[in-house]
Amino acid sequence: MPQDNKGEARGFASSKLSVLRKHPYFADLEADAFEQLCRYAKHATLKRGTPIFAKGDPPTSLFAVISGTVKISISSPDGRNAILNLIGPGEIFGEMALLDNQVRSADATANTNCEMFTIDRREFVPFVRSQPTLAMKFIELLCARLRWTSDQVEQVILQDLPGRLASALLRLTERRKLTEGERTLAITQQEISEMVGMTRESINKQLRAWASRGWVRLEHGAIVVLKAEPLQALIEAGPDDSN
């Protein structure tokens, strides 16, 4: 993965390092410990479509996104794709394999042009061992990832298309903390179809129906949630009332 020649993160603007400091898992680190973490962080820029790691790869690094979006996905031998997660600015990924030292369980790809920090496993694991509070934070993170996956499985098994789509849109707005006014999600209809396990055509038809009601607005490469309440009501009503 491309990395800047300057190497260690201490040479980069504090606005970029604030991605690490503002993250809830690093925010409570003592100043000395945070400075040590920053010395481990290396800066990288990636173009859209650049592979970061593939399923089965050995775990070498932890990643923190500064800008852009990273797609976590899996694919079948016949070419079908499923998006498990979209990681945005201020979020970290790659922690599971890093901590249990097992191979990567999915592919990670730059979904847009991205900027990020990487921290080598050989430096990060001893650092976590020296910071018990941080270790507990990562346990919380792993539990959150498991709950996210459990919610996705529940949607696929128990909800019809409108329910799956409404749940996915609202979960993404919550993840991005888009809570006031219009909530713009930088996601294509193809990407959302791969998240909920339905065809792009079906997704487009449902979104257009909601757009006609003023619930969403469709933009190039984005979906704007205008009214969250009817989407939430649709989820709670269940399949019988989710047309």
Side-chain angles (χ1 to χ4, degrees):
M1 187 177 67
Q3 292 184 345
D4 288 344
N5 294 330
K6 292 182 181 179
E8 294 180 351
R10 59 173 175 262
F12 294 100
S14 59
S15 61
K16 294 181 180 179
L17 289 173
S18 69
V19 168
L20 296 178
R21 174 51 88 183
K22 290 180 180 179
H23 195 283
Y25 301 113
F26 303 132
D28 295 332
L29 286 176
E30 297 292 338
D32 289 347
F34 182 70
E35 288 179 8
Q36 182 180 357
L37 179 70
C38 289
R39 287 195 294 270
Y40 296 150
K42 295 180 174 61
H43 186 261
T45 56
L46 295 83
K47 292 184 178 180
R48 179 181 179 179
T50 301
I52 300 171
F53 56 73
K55 183 177 180 179
D57 282 352
T60 57
S61 301
L62 178 75
F63 304 87
V65 179
I66 302 170
S67 65
T69 305
V70 172
K71 175 175 65 178
I72 308 298
S73 63
I74 55 175
S75 59
S76 66
D78 62 2
R80 290 178 298 165
N81 297 308
I83 296 177
L84 304 179
N85 209 345
L86 290 172
I87 308 297
E91 296 184 283
I92 61 176
F93 67 98
E95 73 289 335
M96 186 171 70
L98 198 78
L99 294 173
D100 70 5
N101 200 28
Q102 301 296 310
V103 298
R104 300 292 189 185
S105 60
D107 302 331
T109 308
N111 206 43
T112 64
N113 292 341
C114 290
E115 192 175 8
M116 63 182 63
F117 286 126
T118 70
I119 303 177
D120 192 281
R121 182 181 190 275
R122 292 170 296 183
E123 296 171 319
F124 188 73
V125 171
F127 179 75
V128 171
R129 287 174 176 161
S130 71
Q131 302 289 330
T133 301
L134 182 59
M136 288 300 301
K137 292 289 187 181
F138 270 87
I139 292 174
E140 293 174 9
L141 175 61
L142 292 172
C143 290
R145 297 277 199 240
L146 181 59
R147 289 180 184 276
W148 171 271
T149 302
S150 178
D151 287 345
Q152 284 186 308
V153 172
E154 179 181 351
Q155 290 166 24
V156 171
I157 293 175
L158 300 180
Q159 293 182 335
D160 58 5
L161 169 60
R164 291 190 217 175
L165 182 54
S167 294
L169 292 177
L170 293 185
R171 285 191 298 116
L172 286 170
T173 61
E174 290 168 1
R175 284 273 305 280
R176 303 290 182 266
K177 296 180 173 60
L178 304 174
T179 57
E180 297 181 3
E182 296 184 356
R183 312 174 194 190
T184 301
L185 296 169
I187 187 170
T188 67
Q189 292 182 35
Q190 180 61 39
E191 290 164 351
I192 200 75
S193 74
E194 293 177 7
M195 291 190 74
V196 302
M198 300 295 287
T199 66
R200 184 189 179 282
E201 291 74 16
S202 298
I203 295 295
N204 180 263
K205 181 179 179 180
Q206 186 62 68
L207 287 173
R208 287 189 179 281
W210 291 348
S212 69
R213 302 177 190 176
W215 297 1
V216 302
R217 186 174 69 245
L218 305 183
E219 298 181 352
H220 180 68
I223 301 169
V224 183
V225 177
L226 301 175
K227 296 180 180 179
E229 293 79 7
L231 294 177
Q232 184 61 47
L234 184 152
I235 296 168
E236 295 172 355
D240 290 341
D241 298 319
S242 57
N243 296 321

